[in-house]
Amino acid sequence: LQVKYESQRKILQMLASRLEEVGIDMQKPGGLCCPLRPVVPSPIINGYRNKSTFSVNRGPDGNPKTVGLYVGTGRARNIVCVKANHMENIPPKHKQVAQCYEEFIRRSPLDPCILFHEGGHWRELVVRTTSHGHTMAIITFHPQELGQEALATQKALLKEFFTCGPGKVCALTSLYFQESTMTRCSHEQSPFQLLHGEPHIFEEVLGLKFRISPDAFFQVNSGGAEVLYQAVGELSQAGRDTILLDICCGTGEQWLCTIGLSLAHQVAKIIGIEVVEKAIEDARWNAAFNGISNCEFHSGRAEAVLPRLLSSWEDARPLVAVVNPSRAGLHYRVVRAIRNCASIRRLLYVSCKPEGEAMRNFLELCCPPDQGKKLAGKPFAPTLAIPFDMFPHTVHCELVLLFTR
């Protein structure tokens, strides 16, 4: 935790110096741009991951049908796939499913697909679990030149292995199959095919029940997510007259508007924005299931929906924005729309990589008005930073930055 605190401190020092370069003196004691609280620890340290992705590639012994995690680099040409048994952050159930999948593909006469152009079929495995004891397995398969009859045979063999064969020990709640000809496919590009069990698994956070689809985004540490969402709720200072904007900026995965839904009880209204239509379906289902009626959801890219939504904003009630982008940060048009909406005086930026593209967002939010960049609104200022240890046993940290104006 101390190591992570020091890394976050350096990031805030970097932001302070970058702001100084554009003429803004934000430096606080220690050269920081705002006060930094100690890292909030994760309530669970070992086996906390609710989602794990396992690759298929050559193992240290040369077997191309090894299911695990990559070690090495492409540049050094020394990549091998090692079993995940030694990983402290992966729960035993995930390791068990990975071991069974490895047993299945080693029995199969079909080759693994290591490089697309070299052929092969068996590809990665995603395992998702919940505190309710649910387990979802999603197997990716490159169809190559196989016809529908041959594909149906493979799906039947897979289902039989996990329901009647050695894989039965995994007690899967859901078994999905996806035919994929690229590294990552969305449901729209290549539908997830349910081979066995329930279409969804369910997780509980802060007393709310969330329905999770195969490609839904959910914080990888459910216990840590509860602590994070509680803090976001407190920092938002949102009351019964507040409208909360939950701006989801996922790329391919469905973001379930979990932050917004978890705070719905304390605000007047939640407005969620999400690019994936299926995620909007899940968000609406989650809201209805939990008896939440003060939510509205908009489908589309945030950079297209948000400027349109805020350009005609006339509601006099306080407006608070929460953004939780991927490592790519916020699209410039999203930042510009937030910056130019005078009603937003409080912004919570949840970042998994604040030293990356998010740094550009911070500078755009805080720099002096710039007509060339169409940043006309009054600048924000970083007010408080709180790191959360969402990823124990790794160097990564989630940083919540509060911006006010």
PDB file of all heavy atoms in Angstrom, residues 317-354:
ATOM      1  N   ARG A 317     -31.444  22.157 -11.195  1.00  0.00           N
ATOM      2  CA  ARG A 317     -30.955  21.337 -10.081  1.00  0.00           C
ATOM      3  C   ARG A 317     -29.450  21.077 -10.206  1.00  0.00           C
ATOM      4  O   ARG A 317     -28.917  21.069 -11.320  1.00  0.00           O
ATOM      5  CB  ARG A 317     -31.722  20.012 -10.050  1.00  0.00           C
ATOM      6  CG  ARG A 317     -33.169  20.149  -9.617  1.00  0.00           C
ATOM      7  CD  ARG A 317     -33.920  18.827  -9.690  1.00  0.00           C
ATOM      8  NE  ARG A 317     -34.154  18.385 -11.048  1.00  0.00           N
ATOM      9  CZ  ARG A 317     -34.841  17.298 -11.385  1.00  0.00           C
ATOM     10  NH1 ARG A 317     -35.347  16.537 -10.421  1.00  0.00           N
ATOM     11  NH2 ARG A 317     -35.011  16.960 -12.640  1.00  0.00           N
ATOM     12  N   PRO A 318     -28.765  20.845  -9.062  1.00  0.00           N
ATOM     13  CA  PRO A 318     -27.319  20.559  -9.118  1.00  0.00           C
ATOM     14  C   PRO A 318     -27.046  19.347 -10.004  1.00  0.00           C
ATOM     15  O   PRO A 318     -27.793  18.363  -9.965  1.00  0.00           O
ATOM     16  CB  PRO A 318     -26.945  20.273  -7.664  1.00  0.00           C
ATOM     17  CG  PRO A 318     -28.034  20.878  -6.847  1.00  0.00           C
ATOM     18  CD  PRO A 318     -29.277  20.846  -7.672  1.00  0.00           C
ATOM     19  N   LEU A 319     -25.971  19.438 -10.783  1.00  0.00           N
ATOM     20  CA  LEU A 319     -25.597  18.364 -11.703  1.00  0.00           C
ATOM     21  C   LEU A 319     -24.181  17.899 -11.368  1.00  0.00           C
ATOM     22  O   LEU A 319     -23.238  18.695 -11.386  1.00  0.00           O
ATOM     23  CB  LEU A 319     -25.668  18.875 -13.144  1.00  0.00           C
ATOM     24  CG  LEU A 319     -25.369  17.892 -14.277  1.00  0.00           C
ATOM     25  CD1 LEU A 319     -26.349  16.725 -14.274  1.00  0.00           C
ATOM     26  CD2 LEU A 319     -25.424  18.607 -15.624  1.00  0.00           C
ATOM     27  N   VAL A 320     -24.034  16.624 -11.031  1.00  0.00           N
ATOM     28  CA  VAL A 320     -22.731  16.044 -10.700  1.00  0.00           C
ATOM     29  C   VAL A 320     -22.419  14.969 -11.741  1.00  0.00           C
ATOM     30  O   VAL A 320     -23.291  14.172 -12.094  1.00  0.00           O
ATOM     31  CB  VAL A 320     -22.733  15.425  -9.280  1.00  0.00           C
ATOM     32  CG1 VAL A 320     -21.422  14.697  -9.006  1.00  0.00           C
ATOM     33  CG2 VAL A 320     -22.976  16.492  -8.228  1.00  0.00           C
ATOM     34  N   ALA A 321     -21.180  14.964 -12.242  1.00  0.00           N
ATOM     35  CA  ALA A 321     -20.787  13.974 -13.248  1.00  0.00           C
ATOM     36  C   ALA A 321     -19.796  12.980 -12.652  1.00  0.00           C
ATOM     37  O   ALA A 321     -18.887  13.365 -11.898  1.00  0.00           O
ATOM     38  CB  ALA A 321     -20.172  14.658 -14.459  1.00  0.00           C
ATOM     39  N   VAL A 322     -19.981  11.696 -13.001  1.00  0.00           N
ATOM     40  CA  VAL A 322     -19.032  10.648 -12.638  1.00  0.00           C
ATOM     41  C   VAL A 322     -18.578   9.990 -13.930  1.00  0.00           C
ATOM     42  O   VAL A 322     -19.404   9.552 -14.741  1.00  0.00           O
ATOM     43  CB  VAL A 322     -19.669   9.581 -11.719  1.00  0.00           C
ATOM     44  CG1 VAL A 322     -18.667   8.476 -11.410  1.00  0.00           C
ATOM     45  CG2 VAL A 322     -20.175  10.208 -10.431  1.00  0.00           C
ATOM     46  N   VAL A 323     -17.264   9.923 -14.149  1.00  0.00           N
ATOM     47  CA  VAL A 323     -16.731   9.258 -15.340  1.00  0.00           C
ATOM     48  C   VAL A 323     -15.773   8.153 -14.896  1.00  0.00           C
ATOM     49  O   VAL A 323     -15.030   8.305 -13.940  1.00  0.00           O
ATOM     50  CB  VAL A 323     -15.998  10.243 -16.291  1.00  0.00           C
ATOM     51  CG1 VAL A 323     -16.965  11.270 -16.846  1.00  0.00           C
ATOM     52  CG2 VAL A 323     -14.832  10.933 -15.604  1.00  0.00           C
ATOM     53  N   ASN A 324     -15.829   7.033 -15.597  1.00  0.00           N
ATOM     54  CA  ASN A 324     -14.987   5.878 -15.270  1.00  0.00           C
ATOM     55  C   ASN A 324     -14.501   5.279 -16.583  1.00  0.00           C
ATOM     56  O   ASN A 324     -14.933   4.207 -16.982  1.00  0.00           O
ATOM     57  CB  ASN A 324     -15.813   4.870 -14.462  1.00  0.00           C
ATOM     58  CG  ASN A 324     -14.983   3.698 -13.977  1.00  0.00           C
ATOM     59  OD1 ASN A 324     -13.760   3.684 -14.097  1.00  0.00           O
ATOM     60  ND2 ASN A 324     -15.646   2.693 -13.435  1.00  0.00           N
ATOM     61  N   PRO A 325     -13.600   6.005 -17.279  1.00  0.00           N
ATOM     62  CA  PRO A 325     -13.192   5.550 -18.613  1.00  0.00           C
ATOM     63  C   PRO A 325     -12.199   4.397 -18.570  1.00  0.00           C
ATOM     64  O   PRO A 325     -11.635   4.075 -17.529  1.00  0.00           O
ATOM     65  CB  PRO A 325     -12.543   6.793 -19.216  1.00  0.00           C
ATOM     66  CG  PRO A 325     -11.996   7.532 -18.041  1.00  0.00           C
ATOM     67  CD  PRO A 325     -12.952   7.266 -16.912  1.00  0.00           C
ATOM     68  N   SER A 326     -11.986   3.807 -19.739  1.00  0.00           N
ATOM     69  CA  SER A 326     -10.956   2.783 -19.896  1.00  0.00           C
ATOM     70  C   SER A 326      -9.590   3.474 -19.890  1.00  0.00           C
ATOM     71  O   SER A 326      -9.496   4.695 -19.743  1.00  0.00           O
ATOM     72  CB  SER A 326     -11.158   2.032 -21.213  1.00  0.00           C
ATOM     73  OG  SER A 326     -11.017   2.930 -22.305  1.00  0.00           O
ATOM     74  N   ARG A 327      -8.534   2.706 -20.105  1.00  0.00           N
ATOM     75  CA  ARG A 327      -7.182   3.289 -20.095  1.00  0.00           C
ATOM     76  C   ARG A 327      -7.005   4.367 -21.165  1.00  0.00           C
ATOM     77  O   ARG A 327      -6.135   5.222 -21.057  1.00  0.00           O
ATOM     78  CB  ARG A 327      -6.134   2.195 -20.321  1.00  0.00           C
ATOM     79  CG  ARG A 327      -5.969   1.253 -19.149  1.00  0.00           C
ATOM     80  CD  ARG A 327      -4.808   0.291 -19.361  1.00  0.00           C
ATOM     81  NE  ARG A 327      -4.678  -0.651 -18.266  1.00  0.00           N
ATOM     82  CZ  ARG A 327      -5.278  -1.828 -18.202  1.00  0.00           C
ATOM     83  NH1 ARG A 327      -6.081  -2.201 -19.195  1.00  0.00           N
ATOM     84  NH2 ARG A 327      -5.102  -2.637 -17.181  1.00  0.00           N
ATOM     85  N   ALA A 328      -7.839   4.324 -22.210  1.00  0.00           N
ATOM     86  CA  ALA A 328      -7.733   5.302 -23.295  1.00  0.00           C
ATOM     87  C   ALA A 328      -8.205   6.689 -22.867  1.00  0.00           C
ATOM     88  O   ALA A 328      -8.000   7.667 -23.592  1.00  0.00           O
ATOM     89  CB  ALA A 328      -8.535   4.831 -24.506  1.00  0.00           C
ATOM     90  N   GLY A 329      -8.823   6.808 -21.691  1.00  0.00           N
ATOM     91  CA  GLY A 329      -9.285   8.105 -21.209  1.00  0.00           C
ATOM     92  C   GLY A 329     -10.571   8.533 -21.895  1.00  0.00           C
ATOM     93  O   GLY A 329     -11.195   7.794 -22.649  1.00  0.00           O
ATOM     94  N   LEU A 330     -10.980   9.785 -21.615  1.00  0.00           N
ATOM     95  CA  LEU A 330     -12.205  10.332 -22.199  1.00  0.00           C
ATOM     96  C   LEU A 330     -11.939  10.909 -23.580  1.00  0.00           C
ATOM     97  O   LEU A 330     -10.890  11.506 -23.819  1.00  0.00           O
ATOM     98  CB  LEU A 330     -12.755  11.459 -21.317  1.00  0.00           C
ATOM     99  CG  LEU A 330     -13.246  11.100 -19.911  1.00  0.00           C
ATOM    100  CD1 LEU A 330     -13.616  12.379 -19.166  1.00  0.00           C
ATOM    101  CD2 LEU A 330     -14.431  10.158 -19.970  1.00  0.00           C
ATOM    102  N   HIS A 331     -12.913  10.752 -24.475  1.00  0.00           N
ATOM    103  CA  HIS A 331     -12.836  11.407 -25.777  1.00  0.00           C
ATOM    104  C   HIS A 331     -12.855  12.919 -25.562  1.00  0.00           C
ATOM    105  O   HIS A 331     -13.516  13.421 -24.647  1.00  0.00           O
ATOM    106  CB  HIS A 331     -14.039  10.977 -26.626  1.00  0.00           C
ATOM    107  CG  HIS A 331     -13.945  11.354 -28.067  1.00  0.00           C
ATOM    108  ND1 HIS A 331     -14.148  12.652 -28.507  1.00  0.00           N
ATOM    109  CD2 HIS A 331     -13.664  10.623 -29.181  1.00  0.00           C
ATOM    110  CE1 HIS A 331     -14.012  12.688 -29.825  1.00  0.00           C
ATOM    111  NE2 HIS A 331     -13.705  11.474 -30.255  1.00  0.00           N
ATOM    112  N   TYR A 332     -12.130  13.642 -26.413  1.00  0.00           N
ATOM    113  CA  TYR A 332     -12.023  15.092 -26.236  1.00  0.00           C
ATOM    114  C   TYR A 332     -13.392  15.763 -26.217  1.00  0.00           C
ATOM    115  O   TYR A 332     -13.621  16.709 -25.462  1.00  0.00           O
ATOM    116  CB  TYR A 332     -11.153  15.692 -27.355  1.00  0.00           C
ATOM    117  CG  TYR A 332     -11.044  17.203 -27.270  1.00  0.00           C
ATOM    118  CD1 TYR A 332     -10.355  17.794 -26.217  1.00  0.00           C
ATOM    119  CD2 TYR A 332     -11.659  18.020 -28.210  1.00  0.00           C
ATOM    120  CE1 TYR A 332     -10.270  19.165 -26.101  1.00  0.00           C
ATOM    121  CE2 TYR A 332     -11.579  19.401 -28.110  1.00  0.00           C
ATOM    122  CZ  TYR A 332     -10.878  19.977 -27.055  1.00  0.00           C
ATOM    123  OH  TYR A 332     -10.811  21.328 -26.950  1.00  0.00           O
ATOM    124  N   ARG A 333     -14.340  15.272 -27.035  1.00  0.00           N
ATOM    125  CA  ARG A 333     -15.660  15.907 -27.080  1.00  0.00           C
ATOM    126  C   ARG A 333     -16.430  15.708 -25.774  1.00  0.00           C
ATOM    127  O   ARG A 333     -17.282  16.532 -25.421  1.00  0.00           O
ATOM    128  CB  ARG A 333     -16.466  15.362 -28.272  1.00  0.00           C
ATOM    129  CG  ARG A 333     -15.977  15.877 -29.608  1.00  0.00           C
ATOM    130  CD  ARG A 333     -17.065  15.811 -30.682  1.00  0.00           C
ATOM    131  NE  ARG A 333     -17.380  14.445 -31.082  1.00  0.00           N
ATOM    132  CZ  ARG A 333     -16.762  13.798 -32.062  1.00  0.00           C
ATOM    133  NH1 ARG A 333     -15.810  14.401 -32.756  1.00  0.00           N
ATOM    134  NH2 ARG A 333     -17.100  12.561 -32.366  1.00  0.00           N
ATOM    135  N   VAL A 334     -16.119  14.628 -25.049  1.00  0.00           N
ATOM    136  CA  VAL A 334     -16.735  14.405 -23.735  1.00  0.00           C
ATOM    137  C   VAL A 334     -16.194  15.430 -22.745  1.00  0.00           C
ATOM    138  O   VAL A 334     -16.949  16.072 -22.009  1.00  0.00           O
ATOM    139  CB  VAL A 334     -16.479  12.967 -23.231  1.00  0.00           C
ATOM    140  CG1 VAL A 334     -16.976  12.790 -21.803  1.00  0.00           C
ATOM    141  CG2 VAL A 334     -17.139  11.958 -24.157  1.00  0.00           C
ATOM    142  N   VAL A 335     -14.873  15.594 -22.732  1.00  0.00           N
ATOM    143  CA  VAL A 335     -14.244  16.584 -21.843  1.00  0.00           C
ATOM    144  C   VAL A 335     -14.788  17.979 -22.148  1.00  0.00           C
ATOM    145  O   VAL A 335     -15.141  18.739 -21.241  1.00  0.00           O
ATOM    146  CB  VAL A 335     -12.706  16.571 -22.002  1.00  0.00           C
ATOM    147  CG1 VAL A 335     -12.063  17.672 -21.165  1.00  0.00           C
ATOM    148  CG2 VAL A 335     -12.131  15.220 -21.604  1.00  0.00           C
ATOM    149  N   ARG A 336     -14.870  18.311 -23.426  1.00  0.00           N
ATOM    150  CA  ARG A 336     -15.340  19.646 -23.836  1.00  0.00           C
ATOM    151  C   ARG A 336     -16.783  19.883 -23.399  1.00  0.00           C
ATOM    152  O   ARG A 336     -17.126  20.965 -22.912  1.00  0.00           O
ATOM    153  CB  ARG A 336     -15.214  19.783 -25.353  1.00  0.00           C
ATOM    154  CG  ARG A 336     -15.427  21.199 -25.862  1.00  0.00           C
ATOM    155  CD  ARG A 336     -15.017  21.294 -27.314  1.00  0.00           C
ATOM    156  NE  ARG A 336     -15.902  20.507 -28.174  1.00  0.00           N
ATOM    157  CZ  ARG A 336     -15.645  20.231 -29.454  1.00  0.00           C
ATOM    158  NH1 ARG A 336     -14.511  20.643 -30.002  1.00  0.00           N
ATOM    159  NH2 ARG A 336     -16.496  19.535 -30.166  1.00  0.00           N
ATOM    160  N   ALA A 337     -17.632  18.856 -23.533  1.00  0.00           N
ATOM    161  CA  ALA A 337     -19.035  18.999 -23.134  1.00  0.00           C
ATOM    162  C   ALA A 337     -19.161  19.223 -21.632  1.00  0.00           C
ATOM    163  O   ALA A 337     -19.954  20.057 -21.176  1.00  0.00           O
ATOM    164  CB  ALA A 337     -19.823  17.757 -23.551  1.00  0.00           C
ATOM    165  N   ILE A 338     -18.360  18.494 -20.835  1.00  0.00           N
ATOM    166  CA  ILE A 338     -18.375  18.666 -19.378  1.00  0.00           C
ATOM    167  C   ILE A 338     -17.864  20.052 -19.009  1.00  0.00           C
ATOM    168  O   ILE A 338     -18.471  20.773 -18.213  1.00  0.00           O
ATOM    169  CB  ILE A 338     -17.524  17.568 -18.694  1.00  0.00           C
ATOM    170  CG1 ILE A 338     -18.184  16.198 -18.874  1.00  0.00           C
ATOM    171  CG2 ILE A 338     -17.317  17.874 -17.210  1.00  0.00           C
ATOM    172  CD1 ILE A 338     -17.311  15.029 -18.434  1.00  0.00           C
ATOM    173  N   ARG A 339     -16.749  20.421 -19.612  1.00  0.00           N
ATOM    174  CA  ARG A 339     -16.111  21.706 -19.316  1.00  0.00           C
ATOM    175  C   ARG A 339     -17.046  22.887 -19.645  1.00  0.00           C
ATOM    176  O   ARG A 339     -17.103  23.880 -18.927  1.00  0.00           O
ATOM    177  CB  ARG A 339     -14.816  21.774 -20.137  1.00  0.00           C
ATOM    178  CG  ARG A 339     -14.080  23.092 -20.121  1.00  0.00           C
ATOM    179  CD  ARG A 339     -13.282  23.312 -18.859  1.00  0.00           C
ATOM    180  NE  ARG A 339     -12.744  24.659 -18.859  1.00  0.00           N
ATOM    181  CZ  ARG A 339     -11.467  24.972 -19.092  1.00  0.00           C
ATOM    182  NH1 ARG A 339     -10.594  24.010 -19.295  1.00  0.00           N
ATOM    183  NH2 ARG A 339     -11.079  26.220 -19.071  1.00  0.00           N
ATOM    184  N   ASN A 340     -17.789  22.771 -20.767  1.00  0.00           N
ATOM    185  CA  ASN A 340     -18.611  23.888 -21.232  1.00  0.00           C
ATOM    186  C   ASN A 340     -20.019  23.905 -20.646  1.00  0.00           C
ATOM    187  O   ASN A 340     -20.810  24.789 -20.978  1.00  0.00           O
ATOM    188  CB  ASN A 340     -18.692  23.878 -22.764  1.00  0.00           C
ATOM    189  CG  ASN A 340     -17.342  24.188 -23.398  1.00  0.00           C
ATOM    190  OD1 ASN A 340     -16.424  24.667 -22.732  1.00  0.00           O
ATOM    191  ND2 ASN A 340     -17.203  23.907 -24.680  1.00  0.00           N
ATOM    192  N   CYS A 341     -20.336  22.940 -19.791  1.00  0.00           N
ATOM    193  CA  CYS A 341     -21.647  22.931 -19.124  1.00  0.00           C
ATOM    194  C   CYS A 341     -21.491  23.550 -17.742  1.00  0.00           C
ATOM    195  O   CYS A 341     -20.948  22.928 -16.827  1.00  0.00           O
ATOM    196  CB  CYS A 341     -22.188  21.503 -19.013  1.00  0.00           C
ATOM    197  SG  CYS A 341     -23.778  21.415 -18.158  1.00  0.00           S
ATOM    198  N   ALA A 342     -21.962  24.769 -17.589  1.00  0.00           N
ATOM    199  CA  ALA A 342     -21.785  25.511 -16.335  1.00  0.00           C
ATOM    200  C   ALA A 342     -22.486  24.836 -15.155  1.00  0.00           C
ATOM    201  O   ALA A 342     -22.113  25.056 -14.001  1.00  0.00           O
ATOM    202  CB  ALA A 342     -22.302  26.944 -16.501  1.00  0.00           C
ATOM    203  N   SER A 343     -23.484  24.014 -15.429  1.00  0.00           N
ATOM    204  CA  SER A 343     -24.232  23.361 -14.344  1.00  0.00           C
ATOM    205  C   SER A 343     -23.406  22.304 -13.622  1.00  0.00           C
ATOM    206  O   SER A 343     -23.701  21.957 -12.479  1.00  0.00           O
ATOM    207  CB  SER A 343     -25.503  22.709 -14.900  1.00  0.00           C
ATOM    208  OG  SER A 343     -26.353  23.683 -15.461  1.00  0.00           O
ATOM    209  N   ILE A 344     -22.385  21.766 -14.296  1.00  0.00           N
ATOM    210  CA  ILE A 344     -21.529  20.754 -13.653  1.00  0.00           C
ATOM    211  C   ILE A 344     -20.436  21.470 -12.868  1.00  0.00           C
ATOM    212  O   ILE A 344     -19.519  22.044 -13.439  1.00  0.00           O
ATOM    213  CB  ILE A 344     -20.893  19.801 -14.683  1.00  0.00           C
ATOM    214  CG1 ILE A 344     -21.967  19.073 -15.485  1.00  0.00           C
ATOM    215  CG2 ILE A 344     -19.989  18.777 -13.980  1.00  0.00           C
ATOM    216  CD1 ILE A 344     -21.432  18.185 -16.594  1.00  0.00           C
ATOM    217  N   ARG A 345     -20.571  21.443 -11.556  1.00  0.00           N
ATOM    218  CA  ARG A 345     -19.574  22.105 -10.705  1.00  0.00           C
ATOM    219  C   ARG A 345     -18.737  21.085  -9.930  1.00  0.00           C
ATOM    220  O   ARG A 345     -17.778  21.435  -9.256  1.00  0.00           O
ATOM    221  CB  ARG A 345     -20.273  23.066  -9.730  1.00  0.00           C
ATOM    222  CG  ARG A 345     -21.173  24.081 -10.432  1.00  0.00           C
ATOM    223  CD  ARG A 345     -21.780  25.066  -9.465  1.00  0.00           C
ATOM    224  NE  ARG A 345     -20.777  25.912  -8.861  1.00  0.00           N
ATOM    225  CZ  ARG A 345     -20.267  27.007  -9.420  1.00  0.00           C
ATOM    226  NH1 ARG A 345     -20.673  27.371 -10.622  1.00  0.00           N
ATOM    227  NH2 ARG A 345     -19.358  27.728  -8.796  1.00  0.00           N
ATOM    228  N   ARG A 346     -19.138  19.824 -10.070  1.00  0.00           N
ATOM    229  CA  ARG A 346     -18.448  18.761  -9.333  1.00  0.00           C
ATOM    230  C   ARG A 346     -18.316  17.560 -10.264  1.00  0.00           C
ATOM    231  O   ARG A 346     -19.291  17.087 -10.843  1.00  0.00           O
ATOM    232  CB  ARG A 346     -19.272  18.400  -8.094  1.00  0.00           C
ATOM    233  CG  ARG A 346     -18.500  17.822  -6.947  1.00  0.00           C
ATOM    234  CD  ARG A 346     -19.362  17.791  -5.681  1.00  0.00           C
ATOM    235  NE  ARG A 346     -18.580  17.346  -4.556  1.00  0.00           N
ATOM    236  CZ  ARG A 346     -17.828  18.122  -3.779  1.00  0.00           C
ATOM    237  NH1 ARG A 346     -17.749  19.403  -4.035  1.00  0.00           N
ATOM    238  NH2 ARG A 346     -17.151  17.630  -2.757  1.00  0.00           N
ATOM    239  N   LEU A 347     -17.079  17.067 -10.406  1.00  0.00           N
ATOM    240  CA  LEU A 347     -16.793  15.959 -11.319  1.00  0.00           C
ATOM    241  C   LEU A 347     -15.919  14.937 -10.609  1.00  0.00           C
ATOM    242  O   LEU A 347     -14.890  15.288 -10.028  1.00  0.00           O
ATOM    243  CB  LEU A 347     -16.074  16.485 -12.569  1.00  0.00           C
ATOM    244  CG  LEU A 347     -15.410  15.451 -13.476  1.00  0.00           C
ATOM    245  CD1 LEU A 347     -16.459  14.589 -14.175  1.00  0.00           C
ATOM    246  CD2 LEU A 347     -14.516  16.135 -14.516  1.00  0.00           C
ATOM    247  N   LEU A 348     -16.312  13.675 -10.677  1.00  0.00           N
ATOM    248  CA  LEU A 348     -15.504  12.595 -10.102  1.00  0.00           C
ATOM    249  C   LEU A 348     -14.950  11.765 -11.243  1.00  0.00           C
ATOM    250  O   LEU A 348     -15.704  11.213 -12.052  1.00  0.00           O
ATOM    251  CB  LEU A 348     -16.366  11.738  -9.179  1.00  0.00           C
ATOM    252  CG  LEU A 348     -16.601  12.408  -7.819  1.00  0.00           C
ATOM    253  CD1 LEU A 348     -17.931  12.010  -7.240  1.00  0.00           C
ATOM    254  CD2 LEU A 348     -15.485  12.049  -6.855  1.00  0.00           C
ATOM    255  N   TYR A 349     -13.627  11.712 -11.322  1.00  0.00           N
ATOM    256  CA  TYR A 349     -12.939  10.981 -12.384  1.00  0.00           C
ATOM    257  C   TYR A 349     -12.307   9.748 -11.744  1.00  0.00           C
ATOM    258  O   TYR A 349     -11.415   9.861 -10.913  1.00  0.00           O
ATOM    259  CB  TYR A 349     -11.875  11.875 -13.021  1.00  0.00           C
ATOM    260  CG  TYR A 349     -11.325  11.388 -14.352  1.00  0.00           C
ATOM    261  CD1 TYR A 349     -11.417  12.170 -15.495  1.00  0.00           C
ATOM    262  CD2 TYR A 349     -10.689  10.157 -14.465  1.00  0.00           C
ATOM    263  CE1 TYR A 349     -10.906  11.743 -16.720  1.00  0.00           C
ATOM    264  CE2 TYR A 349     -10.179   9.719 -15.686  1.00  0.00           C
ATOM    265  CZ  TYR A 349     -10.295  10.515 -16.812  1.00  0.00           C
ATOM    266  OH  TYR A 349      -9.791  10.070 -18.010  1.00  0.00           O
ATOM    267  N   VAL A 350     -12.802   8.550 -12.135  1.00  0.00           N
ATOM    268  CA  VAL A 350     -12.272   7.292 -11.625  1.00  0.00           C
ATOM    269  C   VAL A 350     -11.341   6.733 -12.691  1.00  0.00           C
ATOM    270  O   VAL A 350     -11.771   6.418 -13.794  1.00  0.00           O
ATOM    271  CB  VAL A 350     -13.411   6.291 -11.322  1.00  0.00           C
ATOM    272  CG1 VAL A 350     -12.849   5.019 -10.702  1.00  0.00           C
ATOM    273  CG2 VAL A 350     -14.453   6.919 -10.403  1.00  0.00           C
ATOM    274  N   SER A 351     -10.051   6.625 -12.365  1.00  0.00           N
ATOM    275  CA  SER A 351      -9.067   6.228 -13.373  1.00  0.00           C
ATOM    276  C   SER A 351      -8.245   5.031 -12.917  1.00  0.00           C
ATOM    277  O   SER A 351      -7.734   4.997 -11.801  1.00  0.00           O
ATOM    278  CB  SER A 351      -8.129   7.390 -13.679  1.00  0.00           C
ATOM    279  OG  SER A 351      -7.122   6.990 -14.587  1.00  0.00           O
ATOM    280  N   CYS A 352      -8.100   4.047 -13.840  1.00  0.00           N
ATOM    281  CA  CYS A 352      -7.238   2.892 -13.547  1.00  0.00           C
ATOM    282  C   CYS A 352      -5.811   3.151 -14.018  1.00  0.00           C
ATOM    283  O   CYS A 352      -4.908   2.386 -13.724  1.00  0.00           O
ATOM    284  CB  CYS A 352      -7.790   1.634 -14.197  1.00  0.00           C
ATOM    285  SG  CYS A 352      -7.989   1.764 -15.977  1.00  0.00           S
ATOM    286  N   LYS A 353      -5.608   4.260 -14.776  1.00  0.00           N
ATOM    287  CA  LYS A 353      -4.260   4.594 -15.235  1.00  0.00           C
ATOM    288  C   LYS A 353      -4.124   6.122 -15.352  1.00  0.00           C
ATOM    289  O   LYS A 353      -4.082   6.667 -16.452  1.00  0.00           O
ATOM    290  CB  LYS A 353      -3.958   3.922 -16.575  1.00  0.00           C
ATOM    291  CG  LYS A 353      -2.471   3.945 -16.927  1.00  0.00           C
ATOM    292  CD  LYS A 353      -2.176   3.184 -18.218  1.00  0.00           C
ATOM    293  CE  LYS A 353      -0.677   3.211 -18.505  1.00  0.00           C
ATOM    294  NZ  LYS A 353      -0.352   2.559 -19.801  1.00  0.00           N
ATOM    295  N   PRO A 354      -4.053   6.810 -14.214  1.00  0.00           N
ATOM    296  CA  PRO A 354      -4.037   8.283 -14.233  1.00  0.00           C
ATOM    297  C   PRO A 354      -2.808   8.885 -14.897  1.00  0.00           C
ATOM    298  O   PRO A 354      -2.846  10.036 -15.347  1.00  0.00           O
ATOM    299  CB  PRO A 354      -4.112   8.658 -12.749  1.00  0.00           C
ATOM    300  CG  PRO A 354      -3.653   7.448 -12.011  1.00  0.00           C
ATOM    301  CD  PRO A 354      -4.050   6.283 -12.848  1.00  0.00           C
TER     302      PRO A 354
END
